[in-house]
Amino acid sequence: FQDITHPDDLESDLAHIGVLLAGKIDSYRMKKRYFRKDGNAVWVMLSVSLVRDVDGRPKHFVSQIEDISAMVEAQRSLELASRSLEQTQHLLEASQYAAQVGGWEWDIGLNTLFWTNETYRIHDLSPGEFSPSVDSAIEFYTPESVQVLTAALQLAQSEGTPYDLELEIVSARGRHVWVRTTGSVTQVHGRVIKIGGAIQDITERKHAEQWQLHYSHVLALISNETALKDVLVALALFVEQWAVTAKCCILLMAPDDAHLVLGASPSLPGYFAESVDNIEIGQNGGACGMAALNRAPVMVEDIETCEGMLPKWRELANKAGLRAVWSVPVFSSERRVVGTFAVYHVEPWAPNHTDEDLLARSAALAALAIERARHQEAQRLARTVFEANVEGVMVTSPDDRILTVNRAFENLTGYRVDEAIGNTSAKLLDSGHHGEAFWSQINEQLVQGGRWEGEVWSRRKNGEVYPIQMSIADVRDDAGIMTQRISIMSDISMQKVQAARIEQLAFYDSLTGLPNRALFLDRLENTLAAAERRGDRGAILFMDLDRFKEINDSKGHAIGDLALAETARRFLTVTRKEETLARLGGDEFVLIAEGADQRSAALIAARLLATLSEPLVLMGVAHTIGTSIGIAFYPDDGKTSEELIKHTDIAMYRAKAGGGGYRFYQAEMSTELEKHLGIAHRLGPAMEANQLQLYYQPKISLTTKKLVGAEALLRWHDPELGWISPAVFVPVAEQRGMMGPLGDWVLRESCRQLKEWQTLGFKLPGRLSINVSVQQIEDPEILGRMLEIVHAAGGVPQWLELELTESSMMSNPEHAVEIMTFLAAAGFGLSIDDFGTGYSSLSYLKRFSADEIKIDISFVRNMLSNKNDYAIVNAIIAMAQSLGMSTTAEGVELEGQAEALRGMGCQIAQGFLYSRPVAANEFAEKWLQPPIP
Ligand code: C2E
Ligand code: CA
Ligand code: CA
């Protein structure tokens, strides 16, 4: 700029810049001369402001240059005129007109005010239309301006001081006009007799100046990372202040690219803002919706008479008292519509050139702010994703130098960021456990596909070798050259710890603190194995409480829980160290007494019974409770845990039937009980007599709340016994080896039903789950049989999901792995039912080809009241996620459970909250899409 600045003005300009940079002022204005390209000097008004970054460092100058040569010329001619009386009025007028500068003179003695023609025009008057006096002329000024002007006139009058002011007037037509007005004084013998001066319309310059200030202010806001909303509000307010009746509304493009959401509308009423938030792009979205659609400004000069305007928008405008709207699209630098900028007016209105210019510029600033905000958001997100990632992230260069790592990497490897950066990852992390071939194979895959994933042994800073799951991806440039390699690492030894924790949690009953069923079974197995080796004997005592159900039902679960806890405590007082007392579930307890014979078993039973002779006092109320005890001995009454438990159960049943106390198991009891129930005999005919049915229970997505499948559950209605629960007859059928044909029936019936729904036009989303018993999977022919049944019914395996209980699979896990692999390959979905009650090891879980884990109902039931159960549910979900399986929670009865499960990341729920299992017709009616008529 030095080359084009007049040498006389250079020094002063540089001095100003120095002061500006030193931070003493924010902006400056000066008159100076520039050289034009043609070599002529031109007088300009220069305004410069400095934009600084967040840290206060100067970033750039914003300068505005205005040509004021006309003004300078006019002033000179005015001076000449007042000096030479011969100067004709005509010449003066002509030059004033050309310069758009008016003149005036106040004769103080006569108290007359003279205006030149141009002065009239500035006031939107025609010459002579108005006879000015000082008092009436001052009326044109705004209140603030009046104060300044009267003070200046007084000073001029009393002290002969000239003035040069920039003031605002309201013209005769109500236009806001900025004027520059000067006053100089004529004195005779030291007395002021006249004050005269020039007046110039500087509205345009003033606007430009205000714009410039605004512009640098907004730029500063943007570069200081001010919230987008605040920047938009500043933009809107500026436009509103410029045009007095204007109200602005800035909308932003929603992420779906099909809607506009509210950005800022500081002066419009709340209901207005609400109505324009999330409007559709297109005609439904009114002027803004159309502007965004057409990518062009939309102008409605009078909303009341505009034909294309939808009634709802007209009503809204009416309510808010708005008559005109003008909306322009806001474009990003890639010319994508990122929003709209609209101005409303309370009167019918059309923009002039200046208004258009203002709005275009405001929209451009809005675009800048929006893009900047989006960019920042994306960056912030990327940063958080990177930093907050629980997995270690490492970015390396093509020559394996570490470029950056996140915090999780530090925790994982023990190396700090600064230690890691610059080193090669091989040097830092290689455990030495893998050979050359391993790495070159990974490299090959990366070169070919750009990705690799697998397990790797790595080494921590402290030397510890540990397993990690590693995903590697190459970043390539446009030419396909690898520029960076991103490795994501997670510690899978943690998964093992977590699995151990699940096991720990899953081994103890949360209510009583006693070993649970799983741990009991484990101990019993060990005991039996050891007993067999050593030829030991012993007793199993099975306790089922009497009258517990009444307490639980009448007093509620809380009291029921107290009763169980107190009973457990009392039982423990008579339990010896070498005996194992466990809670099997519900009100059932069991005790292993190694080495006990009939006599000592009877003694133990008597002691246990005695602990309940005193009533339980629960919350100040006494409750009498008893227990019935069944006793069986190993190895005489059974060699396997199942057999033994079943037999203690039968003996307990007899004790209960006899009014409590204890009973030893006797062989004839078994058949007696079964006869009593008659189940086994009735089941076969029942199948033939069509007494069996399938009921269907919906599976609901916790995220979408929509139906995503169903479970088929067996129902048996016996003409004499009434409804018999599958929980009762399925185990009997299993013992009797009847589960094969029953299972076939279930599969056949399921397919038939699905086919029927299909023909009727109903569609079940997802798969139908059916329960498969352990006996079915023990059958070596199972796969062929199932496929045959499915195909015969005109179905495909993809229709079905097979639920296998965790414990049934764990009875012979190697076999289960094999069968499940076959079933999955054939297209069946697989699910692990009642998860948490068996105790599968993680290594098997990974190998079972299951898609889904069903969290057992017993954990879900108490998850809100019991911390342990809550933790187990949480851990199961986390573990399933880490193994890539989805989770279904069964037995969801409360909204609170659903909510908590969803929060933990569980995908699907099933339970009475949504529906009980219902017959096929009812299910179709309630849950399936009706057929199109
Ligand atoms: P399951 O597979 O764990 O089935 C879930 C059981 O929980 C069903 O009992 C169901 O009615 C019940 N249930 C569902 N939602 C809720 C709830 O919100 N609250 C409560 N308290 N209970 C709920 P159901 O129908 O009595 O079946 C019992 C068991 O019988 C089943 O347990 C399954 O192991 C077995 N079973 C049923 N049908 C078949 C079958 O076709 N084949 C085989 N092998 N076993 C079956
Ligand atoms: Ca099931
Ligand atoms: Ca279950």
Side-chain angles (χ1 to χ4, degrees), residues 833-834 856 890:
D833 205 354
D834 297 349
D856 191 55
E890 54 180 29

Coordinates of all heavy atoms in Angstrom, one line a residue, residues 833-834 856 890, ligand 3:
D833 N -30.0 -70.2 25.5 CA -31.1 -69.8 26.4 C -30.7 -69.9 27.8 O -29.7 -70.5 28.2 CB -32.2 -70.9 26.1 CG -33.6 -70.4 26.5 OD1 -33.7 -69.3 27.0 OD2 -34.6 -71.1 26.2
D834 N -31.4 -69.3 28.7 CA -31.2 -69.3 30.2 C -29.8 -69.0 30.5 O -29.2 -69.6 31.4 CB -31.6 -70.7 30.7 CG -33.0 -71.0 30.5 OD1 -33.8 -70.1 30.2 OD2 -33.4 -72.2 30.7
D856 N -31.0 -65.1 31.4 CA -32.0 -65.8 32.2 C -32.9 -64.9 33.0 O -32.5 -63.9 33.5 CB -31.4 -66.8 33.1 CG -32.4 -67.8 33.7 OD1 -33.1 -68.4 32.9 OD2 -32.6 -67.8 34.9
E890 N -35.1 -62.1 28.8 CA -36.4 -62.7 28.9 C -37.0 -62.3 30.2 O -36.3 -61.9 31.2 CB -36.3 -64.2 28.7 CG -35.4 -64.9 29.6 CD -35.3 -66.4 29.4 OE1 -35.6 -66.9 28.3 OE2 -35.1 -67.1 30.3
Ligands
CA3 CA -35.2 -68.9 29.4

